[in-house]
Amino acid sequence: MSGGFISSAALLLGITEFIEDKKVAIKESEALLAKYETQSDNVKNNREFEAINKEIEDQQLEIKLCEKHIRDANEELTEKIKALDLAKKAVASKEGVLNHKKGELEKIIADTEKEETELNKNSADARGHIDERLMYSYDRIRNSYRNGLAVVAVDRDACGGCFNSIPPQRQSEIRLHKKIIVCENCGRILVDANLDGSDKK
């Protein structure tokens, strides 16, 4: 968003410079106009008179055109300033929400830190009692997915990771807890959704 503010500021500066350039052009045209009007008093023939009148008309048109450009640019500048103000207010509002969410997240992290430490300790202890090849497979599955889930429950006859349908026979095998069964689609380890504390142990 800050990049948007920088480009908006550059745009406002560009419009302001454009207006200043047109004001300078008006002053130059007014100076030429005064010069031609002075010369028109000293013309010697009709040809010179027409040429000077043509130059006067051109400078008058140039002044009117510059004034129109300035009016249009001022209108655009006003619109851009309003849009920029609205964008700043929107960003301030979003930042308020973001800071609130960050505060909530930090509170949740603080609340769950003790539980997380305990679970990590239990996980480290359990690793010492599990076959090395199984742990390698488990870690490989965890690292393959963004959410880090290697073990998922069968929920509503589907894998809890990829939501692929699990056949009834396969579900019966999972409920028996006789062997490790993985999802044929995503490779995650499947467990019964109704595992209680004793089963987990």
Side-chain angles (χ1 to χ4, degrees):
M1 203 57 156
S2 61
F5 285 146
I6 291 167
S7 61
S8 295
L11 182 63
L12 294 178
L13 182 62
I15 294 171
T16 306
E17 286 176 352
F18 175 80
I19 290 170
E20 291 304 315
D21 288 345
K22 292 301 172 185
K23 285 180 179 177
V24 169
I26 287 173
K27 284 181 181 177
E28 288 173 356
S29 292
E30 284 173 344
L32 286 170
L33 200 56
K35 176 187 164 186
Y36 293 136
E37 282 173 351
T38 303
Q39 287 178 353
S40 68
D41 295 335
N42 303 314
V43 291
K44 295 175 182 176
N45 54 50
N46 281 343
R47 192 171 173 184
E48 280 183 20
F49 181 77
E50 285 174 9
I52 287 173
N53 269 353
K54 178 76 170 61
E55 290 295 338
I56 289 171
E57 284 175 12
D58 287 347
Q59 294 309 317
Q60 286 172 340
L61 285 171
E62 183 64 27
I63 289 168
K64 286 180 181 176
L65 186 61
C66 286
E67 286 172 346
K68 182 182 183 303
H69 284 158
I70 288 171
R71 282 194 303 274
D72 293 344
N74 277 324
E75 286 176 12
E76 187 181 356
L77 191 62
T78 303
E79 287 174 11
K80 296 295 180 189
I81 289 169
K82 284 180 183 175
L84 186 61
D85 286 342
L86 287 172
K88 283 180 179 177
K89 285 176 184 174
V91 168
S93 173
K94 297 287 183 187
E95 281 177 349
V97 172
L98 179 63
N99 290 333
H100 178 69
K101 295 290 182 186
K102 277 183 179 176
E104 286 182 348
L105 180 61
E106 285 168 8
K107 188 175 181 297
I108 291 167
I109 289 169
D111 290 344
T112 59
E113 192 172 7
K114 186 179 176 183
E115 184 183 355
E116 185 182 351
T117 303
E118 184 67 26
L119 290 171
N120 284 334
K121 183 178 177 296
N122 292 343
S123 175
D125 291 343
R127 280 177 175 270
H129 306 291
I130 299 172
D131 183 75
E132 195 175 321
R133 288 175 302 162
L134 288 175
M135 284 312 308
Y136 173 78
S137 297
Y138 171 80
D139 288 335
R140 184 174 51 78
I141 295 167
R142 276 198 75 180
N143 294 331
S144 297
Y145 296 102
R146 190 183 299 174
N147 61 11
L149 290 177
V151 179
V152 293
V154 176
D155 187 27
R156 296 179 186 171
D157 302 330
C159 168
C162 67
F163 310 109
N164 197 47
S165 181
I166 307 296
Q169 178 61 35
R170 201 80 167 151
Q171 291 182 50
S172 298
E173 291 173 11
I174 292 165
R175 278 193 289 271
L176 291 173
H177 310 146
K178 298 288 184 186
K179 60 180 180 178
I180 294 172
I181 297 172
V182 298
C183 174
E184 293 175 355
N185 185 56
C186 68
R188 290 182 175 96
I189 299 165
L190 298 170
V191 294
D192 183 10
N194 299 319
L195 274 177
D196 58 21
S198 62
D199 287 328
K200 285 178 185 173
K201 189 173 177 182

